[in-house]
Amino acid sequence: MSILQAVAETTLIMIQTKNLAFSYNGKVNFNFPDISLDSGQVLLITGGSGKGKTTLLHLLGGLLKAQSGSIRIGDINIESLSNKKLDKFRGKNIGLILQQSHFVEAFSVFENVVLSSWLATGQKAEEKAKSLLAELGLSDQIHKLTSRLSIGQQQRVSIARALVNEPQLLLADEPTSSLDDENAYKVADLLSQLSKEYGAALIIVTHDQRLKDRFSNQITLV
Amino acid sequence: MIVKLAWKNIWFKPLNTILSIVLLTASVAIISLLILLQEQFEKQFSSNIDGVDVVLGAQGSPLQLILSSVYQVDAPTGNISYSEAKTWMKHPFVKSAIPLAFGDNYRGFKIVGTTPDYLSKFGATVSQGKIFQADFEVVVGAEIAKKLNIKVGDKFFGSHGDAAEGEVHEEFAYKVSGIASPTGKVIDNLILCNIPSVWAMHENHEHADENPAHGEEGHIHFEGDEHDHDHHDHEKAMPVSEEGKEITAVLIKFRNKMGFVTWPRLIAQNTKMQAASPAIEINRLFSLFGIGLQALQYLAYGIMLISGISIFIALYNTLKERKYEFALLRVSGASRMQLLTLVLFESILLCFVGFIFGTIVGRIALLLISSSTDEEYKMTFDPFAFIWQKEGILFIVTIFVGVLAAVIPAIKAYRLNISKTLANA
């Protein structure tokens, strides 16, 4: 492999893990398969409950520290970051979408998305937030409190919030499990479309059959 | 943004917030009211005793003598013989002596017979017209002139005693010769004339040697205790002799400390009068109601403690619901310190709002108190004054309560395990 090729490879690959292992109190041990994903690509992580799907997602998001192994996002090895730097890195480079949407309840939809940009960068990306929410079909809802929205709409706000900082990596934990078919497909479409648009690698943890049918790139935890 | 978040958060649960703010407002209002009252009260009392070392007056309660002769708020203890007082006024220790004779009032404002020295003791000058010279000429205090719209040259009749409803002395009219400059002291609410005017006003034919105070409040007669106004008319032109006349009190300033030490005994042993020290009596008064003020202050700090606990409980209770919100903020890039700041800030904001409201409410209360004391005692308080040092301390204490209430919830937010919180969602 020439040096040029190697350089090209490292810049293309958005996320790469090696020999990740984690254990809860030394009792429950997980060893995860290596992951390597380019920008714009989608990976589905499936597996039964208790197999460590959420644990892996939290490791990738820097919410948990791995016992061994390495995670590289872009050019950064996140194992090497201090807590404070990791918080900043996470805000800027990782978008997280959860099964249940949580929001700052006292803030409106728009303020929630803007808050996310402010926390990560110190800047209020108001225009960006507006255009993202419009793209997600929420233009009429932006000044409502999040609790006034339907679950499907809330999930779309989560997507807007995860994307507002144009992250390199988009992580979604069971994003469709509480949605009906119509909303589930809509969310799946939006996720794959927007992650491509923003050049983010998308990793979805799910046991939702509807998603398994939609995305072919899958690994299963056993 | 953190401030905005904290602000929106505290109003998102308005009931908790209002409870905390009401408690804080109550305690801050009480304390700031007490601070203002005490400070201004003491200042007013202290400024009026400047230049008065002792008060010479009739025997009785020394405090009453001081209150009546220096502050014009109580009834006098009685009268003293002018000739006897005069011998003491010439005592070598005495630097200056100002005689006072009380008699009438005009619409509730006391008319005091004295000498022009009384004005200079308060640092007042005659701003319009001239000082009283002839009998029945008066100099009107600045405050009265303003309230009753009195001008130089006006004439009025006094009412007997110190109640506005007392019988009117219709036989002699007072004539306003001058208006005193404002001083912020009791003189602003007095009408001053010379002492013979007071004597002449109460002169009558049926002399009685004794002058017992009537049952009515502050009912002091000069010369006899029965008035027969029908006899006054042909008396107008008669010059008033000093013989056998009485006055109410003498304000004495000494040349040196000796008089201060020796006079109280000297007077008590040699005369039927007493010499009371305003400084000592007023200190006694302050220490008396100082206990009451202190009790109130403890009560107010107690309320503040309760409001601190209420903030703590409110923050602690919502912590459970808010942990997802906190986890989410962390996921979005907030650091632990930012969460800690957020929780602390919410509490401090509450305390800040409470402090502002409390300061305003306290001043409104002072305004109300001031208008009632103005009516009853001719004493006003300034609600717009700031006692920076004491109120500054109160502010710091209030904010400290806020910090204290938020410490445990803030640390809990700081230590939140995001992964665990989100995994259990």
Side-chain angles (χ1 to χ4, degrees):
Chain A
M1 200 195 295
S2 77
I3 294 170
L4 267 179
Q5 268 177 315
V7 170
E9 212 165 296
T10 49
T11 48
L12 246 180
I13 291 173
M14 272 294 175
I15 178 159
Q16 192 164 38
T17 70
K18 274 204 184 92
N19 308 321
L20 270 186
F22 187 83
S23 107
Y24 287 104
N25 304 323
K27 284 175 202 151
V28 192
N29 295 297
F30 296 113
N31 287 296
F32 298 107
D34 291 350
I35 295 168
S36 178
L37 206 62
D38 292 350
S39 64
Q41 280 191 331
V42 184
L43 173 68
L44 226 56
I45 298 173
T46 60
S49 49
K51 299 296 180 204
K53 294 195 300 286
T54 298
T55 304
L56 177 57
L57 197 84
H58 286 183
L59 285 173
L60 297 175
L63 305 180
L64 284 176
K65 285 244 181 222
Q67 215 156 35
S68 61
S70 69
I71 303 168
R72 206 176 65 202
I73 297 170
D75 303 329
I76 308 288
N77 207 330
I78 67 166
E79 303 297 305
S80 65
L81 295 173
S82 68
N83 278 334
K84 210 177 163 188
K85 278 196 175 145
L86 186 60
D87 286 333
K88 279 283 157 243
F89 181 83
R90 186 192 306 124
K92 247 182 207 165
N93 299 296
I94 302 172
L96 206 71
I97 297 153
L98 302 162
Q99 178 180 0
Q100 271 183 342
S101 313
H102 299 294
F103 299 100
V104 175
E105 284 188 68
F107 270 14
S108 69
V109 168
F110 178 65
E111 286 168 326
N112 263 284
V113 177
V114 171
L115 175 68
S116 180
S117 73
W118 182 81
L119 284 172
T121 62
Q123 310 285 320
K124 292 184 195 172
E126 294 182 353
E127 288 309 310
K128 179 95 199 160
K130 250 180 219 160
S131 67
L132 253 176
L133 285 167
E135 217 170 335
L136 288 157
L138 294 166
S139 288
D140 300 336
Q141 327 287 338
I142 61 172
H143 294 300
K144 285 187 186 168
L145 286 178
T146 53
S147 53
R148 309 295 288 249
L149 267 51
S150 72
I151 295 173
Q153 286 171 325
Q154 288 184 5
Q155 198 57 289
R156 278 184 274 154
V157 178
S158 303
I159 295 172
R161 189 176 55 196
L163 281 168
V164 72
N165 298 317
E166 304 190 14
Q168 304 184 46
L169 177 63
L170 203 54
L171 301 172
D173 189 1
E174 304 277 13
T176 55
S177 63
S178 51
L179 302 180
D180 57 27
D181 286 355
E182 194 196 332
N183 275 305
Y185 288 125
K186 203 169 180 179
V187 164
D189 286 343
L190 283 166
L191 274 176
S192 70
Q193 177 204 326
L194 288 168
S195 63
K196 271 200 186 66
E197 195 179 319
Y198 288 94
L202 171 62
I203 296 177
I204 303 173
V205 159
T206 190
H207 61 255
D208 189 336
Q209 195 56 47
R210 295 171 296 192
L211 290 179
K212 290 182 196 168
D213 296 342
R214 177 109 175 30
F215 300 104
S216 54
N217 186 13
Q218 300 182 2
I219 54 171
T220 305
L221 299 181
V222 286
Chain B
M1 202 80 180
I2 290 277
V3 181
K4 184 180 173 190
L5 185 56
W7 181 253
K8 286 227 171 181
N9 269 330
I10 63 175
W11 292 109
F12 195 67
K13 294 258 156 66
L15 277 184
N16 280 338
T17 303
I18 286 168
L19 173 68
S20 305
I21 288 185
V22 164
L23 286 168
L24 275 164
T25 301
S27 60
V28 172
I30 294 173
I31 297 170
S32 62
L33 176 64
L34 290 178
I35 289 174
L36 288 172
L37 259 184
Q38 196 173 13
E39 189 87 8
Q40 296 193 18
F41 202 70
E42 288 188 12
K43 210 184 197 170
Q44 291 206 1
F45 265 79
S46 308
S47 71
N48 283 312
I49 59 176
D50 286 347
V52 182
D53 288 335
V54 295
V55 176
L56 196 60
Q59 283 181 341
S61 153
L63 183 58
Q64 189 188 352
L65 176 62
I66 300 297
L67 286 177
S68 66
S69 60
V70 180
Y71 301 105
Q72 319 284 352
V73 287
D74 204 351
T77 45
N79 289 326
I80 54 175
S81 149
Y82 187 46
S83 53
E84 191 177 8
K86 242 184 159 175
T87 61
W88 288 96
M89 283 158 71
K90 287 173 186 152
H91 193 273
F93 287 167
V94 175
K95 190 176 174 196
S96 67
I98 304 167
L100 298 175
F102 299 163
D104 296 345
N105 78 82
Y106 174 58
R107 297 217 209 153
F109 294 102
K110 278 188 180 171
I111 300 171
V112 179
T114 182
T115 61
D117 290 346
Y118 191 65
L119 279 126
S120 37
K121 169 199 150 348
F122 285 105
T125 56
V126 180
S127 59
Q128 292 173 41
K130 56 186 181 54
I131 191 75
F132 49 85
Q133 282 165 333
D135 289 0
F136 305 117
E137 280 188 348
V138 294
V139 167
V140 177
E143 198 65 23
I144 307 175
K146 205 169 77 187
K147 277 183 198 155
L148 302 182
N149 195 21
I150 290 177
K151 283 180 280 300
V152 175
D154 285 0
K155 284 184 178 176
F156 60 84
F157 294 105
S159 312
H160 188 67
D162 64 3
E165 299 80 23
E167 60 175 307
V168 176
H169 290 296
E170 283 180 327
E171 56 284 355
F172 298 117
Y174 290 103
K175 182 168 173 285
V176 178
S177 71
I179 289 165
S181 62
T183 58
K185 298 173 189 172
V186 287
I187 193 172
D188 291 358
N189 287 301
L190 291 179
I191 298 170
L192 307 174
C193 60
N194 63 11
I195 290 176
S197 305
V198 177
W199 289 335
M201 193 61 81
H202 299 84
E203 191 89 343
N204 71 37
H205 295 276
E206 292 160 87
H207 274 248
D209 284 346
E210 286 176 33
N211 179 37
H214 287 217
E216 299 163 37
E217 42 165 336
H219 191 115
I220 302 305
H221 281 205
F222 297 87
E223 290 307 289
D225 54 353
E226 275 186 14
H227 279 254
D228 192 354
H229 297 289
D230 294 340
H231 298 284
H232 274 291
D233 285 353
H234 57 264
E235 213 178 32
K236 248 181 208 170
M238 271 175 64
V240 185
S241 74
E242 285 186 6
E243 191 58 38
K245 293 296 189 292
E246 291 185 315
I247 56 171
T248 314
V250 185
L251 308 180
I252 305 263
K253 185 169 174 58
F254 292 121
R255 286 183 201 283
N256 52 40
K257 285 245 158 70
M258 275 304 286
F260 198 78
V261 179
T262 55
W263 261 49
R265 265 184 80 186
L266 216 58
I267 298 292
Q269 282 173 353
N270 297 311
T271 69
K272 277 185 179 169
M273 302 182 285
Q274 64 164 331
S277 154
I280 291 172
E281 295 308 321
I282 291 313
N283 260 337
R284 221 156 54 104
L285 184 67
F286 284 161
S287 66
L288 270 176
F289 66 45
I291 299 168
L293 287 180
Q294 208 144 39
L296 268 175
Q297 219 149 19
Y298 287 143
L299 178 78
Y301 277 111
I303 299 173
M304 188 174 279
L305 184 74
I306 294 169
S307 56
I309 294 171
S310 130
I311 295 173
F312 169 74
I313 291 172
L315 284 174
Y316 199 86
N317 271 345
T318 53
L319 217 56
K320 211 171 201 174
E321 309 161 24
R322 289 182 64 190
K323 67 179 182 185
Y324 299 115
E325 181 186 318
F326 289 150
L328 183 105
L329 291 173
R330 289 291 309 282
V331 165
S332 304
S335 65
R336 290 171 182 276
M337 273 315 282
Q338 277 175 309
L339 289 197
L340 187 94
T341 318
L342 175 66
V343 176
L344 279 178
F345 222 94
E346 284 179 22
S347 175
I348 290 171
L349 259 182
L350 276 181
C351 291
F352 186 73
V353 171
F355 179 82
I356 299 285
F357 281 174
T359 310
I360 294 168
V361 171
R363 279 173 165 77
I364 292 171
L366 187 66
L367 199 68
L368 297 178
I369 289 174
S370 178
S371 69
S372 84
T373 54
D374 189 22
E375 240 167 64
E376 286 177 40
Y377 302 108
K378 312 280 178 246
M379 183 185 269
T380 57
F381 298 100
D382 177 15
F384 301 107
F386 282 89
I387 314 240
W388 293 107
Q389 196 200 349
K390 285 188 183 173
E391 287 185 276
I393 291 171
L394 177 60
F395 179 72
I396 291 167
V397 168
T398 314
I399 298 300
F400 182 70
V401 166
V403 173
L404 209 65
V407 160
I408 295 175
I411 289 176
K412 282 212 154 198
Y414 182 87
R415 288 210 183 137
L416 183 75
N417 182 332
I418 341 169
S419 171
K420 211 168 167 184
T421 307
L422 292 178
N424 294 338

